[in-house]
């Protein structure tokens, strides 16, 4: 087995007994740049739902910000480039790059995002979190994307009007 590829972006989200991780480390390091352990079995999956919910909220917010900028008469390309600085971050970069050039292959499909958002909403309810308006709103955005036939497109299509 060779060492991890420096180009891999895969981060494994693990749950379960951490005592087994050291023995698996050579194999895991070969396919992922990092392994993060979150607790007992299922904890890695629960974190994935939290992470994907936040990323989907960011993607939807980014799309809404671009639509607002265009409606206000601002140049969407200039606004998108400025948003890379503030708020910035990996998800802003992903959203902007995907709006400019639809990713091939997909980063993450709208259908997969919808599935994870639905599971995250259920996780929140199961955890006694009855009030999650951002999550509910973004789930509605992705539900609409699926209804419009965009489920097999990249999740960045929650903003169907890409900058010109």
């Amino acid at each position: 087995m060779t060492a991890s590829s420096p180009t891999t972006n895969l981060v494994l989200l693990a749950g379960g007994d951490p005592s087994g991780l050291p023995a698996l480390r050579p194999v895991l390091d070969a396919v992922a740049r990092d392994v993060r352990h979150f607790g007992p079995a299922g904890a890695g999956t629960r974190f994935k739902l939290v992470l994907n919910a936040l990323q989907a909220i960011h993607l939807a917010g980014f799309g809404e910000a671009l639509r607002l900028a265009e409606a206000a008469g601002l140049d969407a390309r200039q606004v998108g480039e400025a948003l890379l600085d503030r708020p910035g971050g990996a998800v802003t970069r992903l959203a902007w790059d995907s709006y400019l050039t639809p990713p091939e292959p997909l980063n993450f499909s709208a259908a997969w995002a919808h599935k994870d958002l639905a599971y995250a909403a259920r996780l929140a309810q199961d955890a006694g979190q009855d009030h999650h308006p951002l999550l509910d709103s973004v789930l509605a955005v992705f539900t609409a994307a699926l209804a419009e036939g965009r489920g097999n497109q990249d999740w960045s299509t929650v903003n169907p009007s890409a900058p010109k």
Side-chain angles (χ1 to χ4, degrees), residues 16-118:
D17 182 353
S19 66
L21 282 176
L24 295 172
R25 185 58 78 169
V27 174
L28 300 177
D29 287 346
V31 297
R33 71 174 169 84
D34 195 11
V35 178
R36 297 192 181 163
H37 183 265
F38 287 91
T45 300
R46 290 191 299 275
F47 173 75
K48 174 188 175 275
L49 297 176
V50 170
L51 172 66
N52 285 350
L54 180 58
Q55 291 180 136
I57 288 167
H58 190 116
L59 282 167
F62 185 85
E64 189 169 311
L66 286 180
R67 288 192 303 276
L68 174 60
E70 288 176 337
L74 298 172
D75 178 85
R77 187 168 296 277
Q78 185 179 19
V79 169
E81 292 293 332
L83 290 173
L84 291 175
D85 182 47
R86 291 195 194 284
V91 179
T92 300
R93 168 56 69 189
L94 171 76
W96 180 239
D97 289 348
S98 296
Y99 292 142
L100 291 175
T101 306
E104 192 60 45
L106 302 181
N107 293 310
F108 200 66
S109 77
W112 294 339
H114 180 269
K115 170 194 60 79
D116 281 359
L117 288 165

